[in-house]
Amino acid sequence: MLKEGDRGAFSLLYKRYWQKVYGFCRLYLNSCERAEDVVQEVFIKLWEARELLREDDSPEGFLFIVTRNLVFNQYRKEVNEDYYKMTVLSALESSYDIEEEIAARDLSRYIDRLIEELPEKRRQIFNLSRKAHKSHKEIALLLGISEKTVENQIREALRFLRKNMLLLICFLG
């Protein structure tokens, strides 16, 4: 009767097998909605292929094969979507890190320009301290000045940098 397009026969098969088809789908699919979508698709395929069914074949076998194929297709799709999402997230995180690196590099250049604005002696002392990692004592010995002068010059350099950094922050904020 199904083969001849009898909607009553189709309705009977649907009522008899939808729970089994749904249960099989739920074994493999995480989402109830996706399982329901697959169930609907299985029965649509049954209706579309009704003329190909043989009378001596059980509809249960056909439903199982179609359900299995659709579930595995859906499962592959979910895995691919998850992989795609992870790839996109990874790319976004990577681009975020790149953006941070660019911002840090720009900030470093800005600080270097500020350091270049320092008076020559102060700039020399500051660079020996911060870039060459020399102690106050080593700088004092190297330049023939007192440690107190080194401390004062570094303090003034830092004050200048903080003031200009604050202006930058206010401007950007």
Side-chain angles (χ1 to χ4, degrees):
M1 291 174 14
L2 175 66
K3 191 172 182 172
E4 295 169 5
D6 185 330
R7 293 178 189 266
F10 175 79
S11 182
L12 182 66
L13 285 172
Y14 182 84
K15 288 176 186 173
R16 182 176 291 169
Y17 292 108
W18 81 267
Q19 187 67 41
K20 286 182 180 180
V21 171
Y22 179 78
F24 183 81
C25 291
R26 285 296 290 143
L27 288 174
Y28 294 96
L29 301 174
N30 295 330
S31 160
C32 292
E33 291 80 21
R34 288 191 182 196
E36 290 170 2
D37 290 344
V38 170
V39 170
Q40 292 299 320
E41 200 171 337
V42 165
F43 283 98
I44 288 170
K45 290 206 178 291
L46 174 65
W47 180 256
E48 290 173 345
R50 69 186 179 276
E51 294 168 355
L52 303 174
L53 295 174
R54 294 188 314 218
E55 291 180 29
D56 55 335
D57 284 346
S58 158
E60 198 168 314
F62 175 85
L63 291 173
F64 171 75
I65 291 169
V66 171
T67 303
R68 180 198 63 194
N69 292 341
L70 291 174
V71 163
F72 290 147
N73 287 343
Q74 187 69 35
Y75 184 74
R76 261 194 303 271
K77 181 180 174 189
E78 283 180 14
V79 169
N80 287 339
E81 283 178 11
D82 290 344
Y83 176 75
Y84 174 75
K85 288 175 189 174
M86 293 304 293
T87 303
V88 168
L89 285 175
S90 177
L92 288 174
E93 288 172 358
S94 296
S95 67
Y96 183 73
D97 292 341
I98 290 169
E99 289 172 10
E100 279 184 354
E101 188 176 319
I102 290 169
R105 203 173 323 144
D106 289 345
L107 183 58
S108 179
R109 285 188 199 126
Y110 178 73
I111 292 170
D112 287 342
R113 275 187 265 143
L114 289 176
I115 292 169
E116 290 300 314
E117 291 180 22
L118 293 170
E120 186 178 339
K121 197 68 164 178
R122 188 173 294 160
R123 178 175 62 240
Q124 183 184 20
I125 293 169
F126 186 81
N127 283 334
L128 285 170
S129 170
R130 295 307 195 258
K131 292 188 178 181
H133 308 289
K134 302 277 186 205
S135 69
H136 291 184
K137 187 174 187 172
E138 289 173 316
I139 297 169
L141 288 172
L142 188 66
L143 299 178
I145 57 177
S146 73
E147 285 184 53
K148 194 70 171 164
T149 301
V150 171
E151 287 176 25
N152 288 337
Q153 291 298 314
I154 291 173
R155 186 179 330 106
E156 289 301 314
L158 289 172
R159 182 177 293 146
F160 174 78
L161 292 173
R162 269 196 288 277
K163 181 180 117 185
N164 283 285
M165 293 301 292
L166 187 59
L167 289 173
L168 176 69
I169 291 169
C170 289
F171 177 74
L172 293 176

